[in-house]
Amino acid sequence: GYYFNTNNPYRDWPSAFAEGQEKAREGDLNAAVLLLEAAILQDPQDSEAWQVLGMTQAENENEQAAIVSLQRCLELRPNNLPALMALAVSLTNGGMQQEACDALRRWISHNPRYKHLVRYHQSPLRGSPATPRRGPHTSTPARSELQEVLLLFQDAALMNMDCVDPDLQTGLGVLFNLSSDFNKAVEAFTAALSVRPQ
């Protein structure tokens, strides 16, 4: 579970969520966390508050709290694409490759623009890319899962030849980072930033 600050001066603050968002935008992350925690204590079912808290905790370099917050957000709203992408980044930062791949697979399978690719990749005609090969080049399940999700994202990128999807490029950057292809990770993150500089 999430460990809330015990001495929160904003515990009963009437507009805690709105003020927490404002503090996060201003860069006052510690105050933002307290206000967002207060908002959640007032309404534990507020998936948006859990999402903003998770993203704020990630920005504040508190990956474990970010992961727990984003997972709670996704329990309440499983198809929340920004939360799934943020979770993948936090899991990557926390060294949890398999879980990051799973979050990115969920992101693409919930994305209305790309979800058909997941069904295509699972087609029996294509074989099962997740099945490790036999012989001297057998890959570990984690490695083949990473390659399978990377292929999904690369296929999705081919659908965007005329434009850049910054979220898709962020996912590609994470996947290239996980596979230690750092030059391609830089290219993907640079592409994302070209569309969304903030």
Side-chain angles (χ1 to χ4, degrees), residues 23-158:
K23 291 289 185 191
R25 277 191 292 275
E26 293 170 1
D28 187 352
L29 301 179
N30 292 328
V33 165
L34 289 172
L35 284 157
L36 293 165
E37 285 184 1
I40 289 167
L41 288 168
Q42 293 166 24
D43 181 5
Q45 303 302 309
D46 186 344
S47 68
E48 188 181 4
W50 280 109
Q51 175 189 336
V52 176
L53 176 61
M55 294 170 140
T56 304
Q57 288 285 25
E59 196 174 333
N60 206 23
E61 306 286 329
N62 190 345
E63 299 299 345
Q64 193 53 46
I67 290 167
V68 173
S69 301
L70 292 164
Q71 286 173 331
R72 180 66 185 125
C73 166
L74 291 162
E75 286 170 16
L76 296 166
R77 200 171 133 222
N79 62 346
N80 183 324
L81 297 178
L84 282 165
M85 188 59 69
L87 178 61
V89 171
S90 286
L91 289 165
T92 301
N93 291 342
M96 294 178 256
Q97 175 179 318
Q98 189 69 38
E99 293 85 351
C101 281
D102 180 57
L104 289 169
R105 178 187 293 283
R106 286 168 56 201
W107 182 88
I108 212 161
S109 65
H110 284 294
N111 190 309
R113 187 151 182 219
Y114 307 120
K115 63 184 177 183
H116 69 280
L117 295 171
V118 176
R119 288 190 298 275
Y120 173 72
H121 276 259
Q122 291 171 340
S123 164
L125 297 174
R126 284 182 54 92
S128 177
T131 306
R133 295 186 308 261
R134 300 286 175 241
H137 300 291
T138 300
S139 60
T140 64
R143 177 57 59 185
S144 67
E145 169 76 4
L146 173 60
Q147 293 306 316
E148 183 183 347
V149 177
L150 184 55
L151 280 172
L152 275 170
F153 271 75
Q154 288 173 320
D155 283 356
L158 292 174

Side-chain angles (χ1 to χ4, degrees), residues 172-183:
L172 271 170
V174 169
L175 289 162
F176 284 131
N177 180 53
L178 287 171
S179 60
S180 300
D181 195 341
F182 301 118
N183 290 334

